[in-house]
Amino acid sequence: MNKFLSSSRLNIATNSLDWVMGQTIRHSLNLNDAVAIDELQQLSVPDKPIETLYIHIPFCHTLCRYCSFHKIKFKESLAREYFKALRQEIRQVITQGFRFNRVYIGGGTTTILEDELIETIELIKSLTTVREVTCESDPIYFKEGNPHLLKGLVDRMSIGIQSFDDNILKMVGRFEKFGSGLQQAEYVSRAIEIIPTVNIDMMYGFKVQTPEAVAIDLAQAIRLHPDQITTYPLTLGIGKNRKKAGCLAGEPEALWPQFLAVKAALAEHYVMEFPWTFSRNFGQPVENKYVLDGEDCFGVGSGAFGRFGEQFRISSFDIPDYIDRINTGLSGTCYTKPLQHKALSQHYFMMMMGYGLLDNQQCKAHTGKSLWQAFPLEMSFLISAGALRKQGDNYITTDEGQFIALKMFSGFLSGMDYLREQARELPINTIDTLVRA
Ligand SMILES: C[S@@+](CC[C@H](N)C(=O)[O-])C[C@H]1O[C@@H](n2cnc3c(N)ncnc32)[C@H](O)[C@@H]1O
Ligand code: SF4
């Protein structure tokens, strides 16, 4: 097909997808129906381990303009009190009988107080068995911290680089904080010597980026031989954060050629697991697990979300309130939100698109219906956008389909961003209000 025709058809398809996703997010992730929970009411403990225990560390030394994750500027005394409360919450959850396969520690800056982080992981390992501990980190930790102390505690480190290009680093305010692209490459090499599995996060979709610049950036990433490379399209969100990150973003049409550049750059040495995550195809196989696999996730710490079956659980976003809750014997989770069946099935559809295979049998096993019965509108839309190719009874994604899956993922991140924005506005639900209620 004519390349111009194909890319303009794709632009029309992704523009309408952006619109539909914005509407869907506003509808299905609206917190108007969030329910304040009576903490003294215990959660029923499932008989098998929950896939992920997510732990949130909401502090950073300085804040990046594009980042909408829950974090505040670091204050040591508050952060120390926070870690103490966090360990108390972890003890509480494990004492109640919850078990987990993996632990994912995200931020913010998880390594901001190395001694507290170590004490927290050691506590988890002393109370329960987990298969893997993943921790996010910024690159400067591998210069200024003592990462060898994490040996045997952290199995997988996910390091935020975003770009090795000094102009981009300066534009997003990371050059002053974390050093030049060359210095950051050196820190990643140090991390790879110490930590068993290293992922590096890269971003694209910034306004000065071209497909050539993306390819150069990834060539530098590949030279370091990380086990995994995650490539995030800059996500703007749909609420207040949109404006702040929006001034850094390129034209929406620039993303498709950049996505093709990402794929081409990584094709030789990395396998695409999802259109945003790549694992190396050399050496020992990498066990691949990202937090978004659609399984249950229990969140602890201020600003953590958990998904439990058909419910979202939201922890207090107010850090002093979170600490108070834990110190008065409550859990950190203060609201739940029922997830509609439609939202869950859309998440399932996004995951199938992300995996690149729409399997009729699996769809029937999961939803009780065939692909066309369960997702008639989505299937028609994707076929007309050239996003799917039939293979026997199933469908596989084309390049266009992978790009649409990437846009869906970006929509999912916007949805999380929208949830965070609303969660910050929820009334504080302390012991006093619970007792009064
Ligand atoms: C929450 S950050 C924590 C990493 C660490 N604090 C750092 O800055 O290096 C995890 C990753 O989310 C990604 N991220 C943050 N904001 C984003 C946005 N607006 N769009 C896409 N990805 C984003 C970045 O790639 C970042 O490395
Ligand atoms: S990208 Fe990392 S360092 Fe920057 S504000 Fe977000 S969590 Fe903090």
Side-chain angles (χ1 to χ4, degrees), residues 54 56 59-60 64-71 104 106-110 136-140 158-162 174 177-178 184 199-204 206 230-237 241 245 409-410 413 417 420:
Y54 176 80
H56 193 73
F59 302 99
C60 290
C64 305
R65 270 164 68 199
Y66 57 82
C67 172
S68 60
F69 285 77
H70 173 50
K71 76 277 157 185
Y104 189 103
T109 304
T110 63
E136 288 178 354
S137 170
D138 58 34
I140 201 85
S158 180
I159 306 175
I161 295 293
Q162 326 315 350
R174 289 178 71 98
K177 279 198 269 188
F178 303 133
Q184 294 193 38
N199 166 71
I200 62 179
D201 287 341
M202 302 293 287
M203 284 174 69
Y204 60 106
F206 288 116
T230 305
T231 53
Y232 288 105
L234 173 64
T235 296
L236 302 185
N241 283 323
F409 171 64
S410 189
L413 295 181
D417 190 21
R420 281 191 287 265

Side-chain angles (χ1 to χ4, degrees), residues 215-258:
I216 293 171
D217 239 354
L218 288 171
Q220 170 63 304
I222 294 166
R223 271 196 288 278
L224 302 170
H225 306 300
D227 305 284
Q228 299 176 313
I229 300 178
T230 305
T231 53
Y232 288 105
L234 173 64
T235 296
L236 302 185
I238 59 169
K240 291 183 213 143
N241 283 323
R242 192 171 178 88
K243 222 170 165 189
K244 215 168 35 145
C247 13
L248 301 171
E251 292 302 320
E253 299 73 39
L255 211 58
W256 163 240
Q258 290 183 23

Side-chain angles (χ1 to χ4, degrees), residues 74-117:
F74 177 62
K75 278 189 232 114
E76 181 166 347
S77 55
L78 182 67
R80 288 207 181 273
E81 262 189 82
Y82 177 80
F83 267 101
K84 212 165 142 214
L86 187 61
R87 285 192 291 274
Q88 184 52 27
E89 190 184 9
I90 294 169
R91 265 189 222 101
Q92 211 181 61
V93 166
I94 294 177
T95 310
Q96 281 172 30
F98 288 97
R99 295 292 174 266
F100 305 95
N101 288 333
R102 296 161 199 275
V103 174
Y104 189 103
I105 310 174
T109 304
T110 63
T111 51
I112 207 150
L113 286 172
E114 195 180 50
D115 56 332
E116 299 280 359
L117 175 70

